[in-house]
Amino acid sequence: MKELKHRFSSGFFIVLALALLIFGSNNTSLVNAARGQVTDFFVPILSVASRPLQAVDDFIGWTQQVAIVFSENKRLLAENAQLKQAQIMSSQLAIDNQRLKRLLNVGEGQVNIIAAARVVSDSESPFFKSVLINRGTDDGVLKGQAVINEDGIIGRIINTGSSSSRVLLATDMNSHIPIKLASSGINMILEGDNSPYPKLGFLPIGEEIAVGDLILTSGYGMVFPPDLPVGQVLEITEEGIKIKLSTKLYNLNYVSIVGYEIIRSPVSRPVSRMGDHSPKGKK
Amino acid sequence: MMQGPESKSERGFRWALPSLSILLLIILMQLPYRISFLDNLLPFLPMAAVYYWGIFKPNLVPVSAVFVLGLLQDILSGGPLGMMALLLILVRLFVIQQGRRFLEREFLFSWLVFVIVSLVFGLATWAISSIYIREAQYILDALGQSMLTIAFFPVIVWGLGLLRLMLVAEKR
């Protein structure tokens, strides 16, 4: 009798798991909300549990820094001298740029840093590339927002709880990020393929690209602000062009969630001014 | 079956230890290790624990607990909802079907069977993930995870063995 009962309960849960597998993949809001609630509960636990790992990581980093402190100092002094010269040039260019943009009525994008978060969990699966962070809707984080750090792009928010969110990394199969070649400005798409090196899609025929070329975000799609560092061309083969990302996605610690919107001054918006009458009239 | 008297004597906090040990391994698997080669190769340690408890204390890790723990792993790892729940239940079911024969054998025999279970488990995660993403994935990654799980098996058996001793001590 017990055997029968056991078989029945196993069968029941197998069917339940199969049903979830088949119908849960539609990413219904109910499933996402449930996921968010569970991650909300576990994020504080993961946060505490990941502290020792971070301490070890910090210690290793510290010993590495101590070991190279003299050579690093020499290199930084040289770099500093170069940067001072570059700073003078760039300030002149910035003034020029601003003046020309005003002439052309270019809409300026506004980047809002919504929150800074800590990565508390890594899926570490070969087939699904995402991380959990300890900020959610309570902190203003919304699905679709971009996640970056000081080195460049990381990914975008795909699910939120009130105090936790899941970030789909740029290397995931489902990640498509609008990018451009820094030198020529050609727009392309960075496509994740679950390998550490995502590939480039939609390179126009006849355009040239070389190993080492710099890749930046294009700002299309209104998720990532333009001109953020993405990475460099790693290799060009018949199968495709592979990109080495500027961020180390396996070694993430603190990240920023950013919102991006184009804001135009009222003068530079003739189209919307024409359409202003009807909504105002209704009000 | 000997489940009746056992479950009565093991009431109290310690009956939850096997499930808690699996929960702990699930949490351990989700931590950010920040090591580049581990990124793709984290072993299926919760599966090893389900296998172990399936042999020694199946009544303490009921199928409902395995389901909930598998679901939790799916949610925390961001994988397909239900994948780990399904596979962990199947591992438990397989072990229980073979259970008493396992108990009589040596550790090495149990490890040998685990090699097969682990490889099939890896292949199953690869197959389900490939169907879920709708594109064939790199199979060696999943087999790498299986290999690492096989290598970790003695450590899991040792750790959970200590836990099982605590349960036995309680019983006496």
Side-chain angles (χ1 to χ4, degrees):
Chain A
M1 190 66 194
K2 250 183 181 165
E3 192 92 346
L4 199 73
K5 200 179 149 197
H6 169 249
R7 281 197 183 183
F8 171 75
S9 61
S10 289
F12 171 74
F13 282 109
I14 287 172
V15 171
L16 198 60
L18 270 173
L20 272 175
L21 204 50
I22 294 164
F23 300 109
S25 66
N26 295 341
N27 265 337
T28 54
S29 52
L30 188 73
V31 171
N32 280 342
R35 274 182 186 261
Q37 295 235 319
V38 174
T39 51
D40 278 351
F41 181 79
F42 275 91
V43 153
I45 299 170
L46 288 164
S47 181
V48 171
S50 64
R51 291 276 174 191
L53 285 177
Q54 198 188 334
V56 170
D57 198 54
D58 289 349
F59 179 72
I60 293 171
W62 181 78
T63 50
Q64 281 170 345
Q65 280 175 357
V66 167
I68 57 163
V69 71
F70 285 109
S71 57
E72 186 67 1
N73 189 37
K74 209 171 157 185
R75 191 186 67 80
L76 286 174
L77 282 172
E79 195 178 271
N80 199 25
Q82 278 183 344
L83 287 176
K84 271 182 183 162
Q85 286 187 330
Q87 195 188 13
I88 297 168
M89 266 176 68
S90 76
S91 62
Q92 286 171 347
L93 287 173
I95 296 166
D96 269 4
N97 193 18
Q98 223 168 26
R99 191 172 53 81
L100 291 169
K101 271 183 177 167
R102 257 204 304 271
L103 279 174
L104 289 170
N105 259 344
V106 174
E108 285 287 339
Q110 190 181 333
V111 181
N112 304 316
I113 294 188
I114 287 154
R118 205 164 80 84
V119 172
V120 295
S121 162
D122 189 335
S123 65
E124 278 166 302
S125 148
F127 311 128
F128 305 96
K129 305 288 181 191
S130 63
V131 295
L132 273 180
I133 56 172
N134 62 349
R135 291 280 182 270
T137 46
D138 286 355
D139 309 282
V141 178
L142 295 173
K143 192 178 167 181
Q145 283 168 342
V147 181
I148 59 172
N149 71 3
E150 67 279 11
D151 293 326
I153 62 155
I154 290 168
R156 68 188 157 85
I157 305 283
I158 51 164
N159 197 17
T160 50
S162 57
S163 60
S164 68
S165 308
R166 181 165 295 282
V167 181
L168 186 81
L169 298 180
T171 46
D172 188 276
M173 203 89 186
N174 288 317
S175 168
H176 296 90
I177 298 169
I179 50 156
K180 67 183 178 192
L181 209 59
S183 55
S184 59
I186 307 164
N187 288 307
M188 283 170 288
I189 300 284
L190 184 77
E191 297 172 345
D193 58 359
N194 284 349
S195 78
Y197 307 111
K199 57 186 182 192
L200 275 191
F202 303 106
L203 177 70
I205 300 164
E207 295 291 352
E208 284 193 6
I209 191 163
V211 171
D213 278 358
L214 204 65
I215 308 286
L216 303 173
T217 51
S218 67
Y220 286 176
M222 302 300 293
V223 171
F224 287 92
D227 301 321
L228 289 176
V230 173
Q232 281 181 308
V233 177
L234 178 73
E235 58 172 19
I236 303 167
T237 59
E238 283 188 2
E239 282 118 53
I241 302 158
K242 286 283 193 179
I243 304 299
K244 185 179 191 294
L245 295 173
S246 51
T247 43
K248 288 181 186 153
L249 291 185
Y250 62 86
N251 188 4
L252 295 173
N253 196 358
Y254 288 97
V255 298
S256 302
I257 300 109
V258 293
Y260 176 60
E261 53 184 334
I262 298 270
I263 292 184
R264 285 171 199 271
S265 55
V267 206
S268 65
R269 229 176 20 176
V271 180
S272 57
R273 240 194 304 164
M274 271 159 62
D276 270 350
H277 299 291
S278 49
K280 270 185 183 170
K282 273 178 190 173
K283 275 175 194 172
Chain B
M1 284 183 104
M2 54 180 197
Q3 289 180 347
E6 224 178 29
S7 55
K8 268 179 199 163
S9 62
E10 279 167 359
R11 288 219 175 112
F13 164 69
R14 294 190 187 189
W15 64 268
L17 278 181
S19 296
L20 283 176
S21 70
I22 299 173
L23 178 66
L24 186 74
L25 288 172
I26 288 172
I27 290 175
L28 271 184
M29 289 300 92
Q30 299 309 319
L31 297 182
Y33 287 96
R34 306 198 169 94
I35 303 167
S36 109
F37 69 87
L38 260 187
D39 215 23
N40 273 342
L41 275 180
L42 225 58
F44 306 116
L45 295 189
M47 185 274 281
V50 168
Y51 179 88
Y52 180 90
W53 292 119
I55 296 174
F56 293 106
K57 296 274 176 192
N59 58 321
L60 290 190
V61 189
V63 64
S64 50
V66 173
F67 176 80
V68 170
L69 288 166
L71 215 55
L72 180 68
Q73 197 181 352
D74 287 328
I75 291 172
L76 291 184
S77 71
L81 202 64
M83 177 172 83
M84 279 298 161
L86 176 70
L87 294 179
L88 290 181
I89 291 173
L90 290 178
V91 168
R92 182 184 182 277
L93 198 65
F94 169 79
V95 175
I96 287 177
Q97 299 272 328
Q98 317 288 324
R100 266 161 280 175
R101 264 171 277 159
F102 273 118
L103 282 168
E104 289 157 11
R105 309 266 176 154
E106 304 257 314
F107 164 74
L108 264 178
F109 177 75
S110 153
W111 198 3
L112 208 66
V113 177
F114 184 75
V115 169
I116 298 161
V117 170
S118 184
L119 287 175
V120 172
F121 192 88
L123 279 177
T125 58
W126 168 81
I128 294 175
S129 304
S130 293
I131 294 168
Y132 193 82
I133 304 172
R134 297 193 183 87
E135 194 166 328
Q137 298 296 300
Y138 194 50
I139 195 164
L140 286 183
D141 280 336
L143 292 181
Q145 282 184 293
S146 292
M147 293 298 196
L148 213 58
T149 316
I150 294 163
F152 267 100
F153 186 66
V155 183
I156 293 288
V157 167
W158 173 77
L160 298 182
L162 292 180
L163 212 60
R164 190 163 64 96
L165 280 180
M166 282 171 68
L167 292 172
V168 174
E170 170 83 346
K171 200 179 146 193
R172 276 173 196 162

